[in-house]
Amino acid sequence: MSGPFLPARSASPIDLLVDNAASGGWEELDLMMKRPEQKVPLQPDAAVAEFMYGLYCTPQGRQMFEWMMDISIRQPLRATGRTFEETALLTATRQGVNGMAEAVLAAIQHGEELVRERKPQNGAGS
């Protein structure tokens, strides 16, 4: 391997960024930074959702996801700051943590639905 591995979504060639920004202005730059359209917010690709469901079905994967929920959603809400602003910041931080956990749970559920759709309903075939 000649250099570091950069996944497609992690980096974009700088010459492409410069060319697009220079030729199209801010509108082109905004299009480059736009997130891909999703049916459900924060839902991963179908292959990722199916993998997460498959991992959830293993004992080790289930244990990992249980631990993730233990350190996020299952934690008691301790959002009492010394000031109103500190309380608001603590609450917002907790919402972020819970949002990640909710997205993981939704992805597992979506993966399960995708796997069940592929299986024949009458038990015939494979």
Side-chain angles (χ1 to χ4, degrees), residues 67-114:
W67 172 75
M68 290 172 70
M69 297 308 116
D70 285 346
I71 64 170
S72 58
I73 289 180
R74 293 185 185 133
Q75 287 292 312
L77 178 62
R78 294 184 189 105
T80 308
R82 288 171 283 189
T83 64
F84 178 76
E85 291 82 7
E86 185 179 3
T87 301
L89 286 172
L90 290 171
T91 303
T93 300
R94 180 57 187 266
Q95 284 178 326
V97 171
N98 285 358
M100 183 281 308
E102 290 167 3
V104 167
L105 293 173
I108 293 170
Q109 182 180 15
H110 180 63
E112 180 181 13
E113 292 167 359
L114 291 172

Side-chain angles (χ1 to χ4, degrees), residues 56 101 121:
Y56 174 78
Q121 297 299 315

Side-chain angles (χ1 to χ4, degrees), residues 22-69:
S23 63
W26 285 110
E27 293 81 19
E28 189 67 31
L29 192 58
D30 283 340
L31 285 174
M32 289 170 37
M33 300 300 172
K34 186 177 178 183
R35 290 183 176 191
E37 293 294 324
Q38 296 175 319
K39 294 178 185 173
V40 177
L42 304 177
Q43 189 175 67
D45 195 30
V48 174
E50 288 180 11
F51 174 76
M52 289 176 73
Y53 173 66
L55 190 59
Y56 174 78
C57 291
T58 67
Q60 295 87 357
R62 177 72 182 249
Q63 189 176 12
M64 180 194 69
F65 287 121
E66 291 288 350
W67 172 75
M68 290 172 70
M69 297 308 116

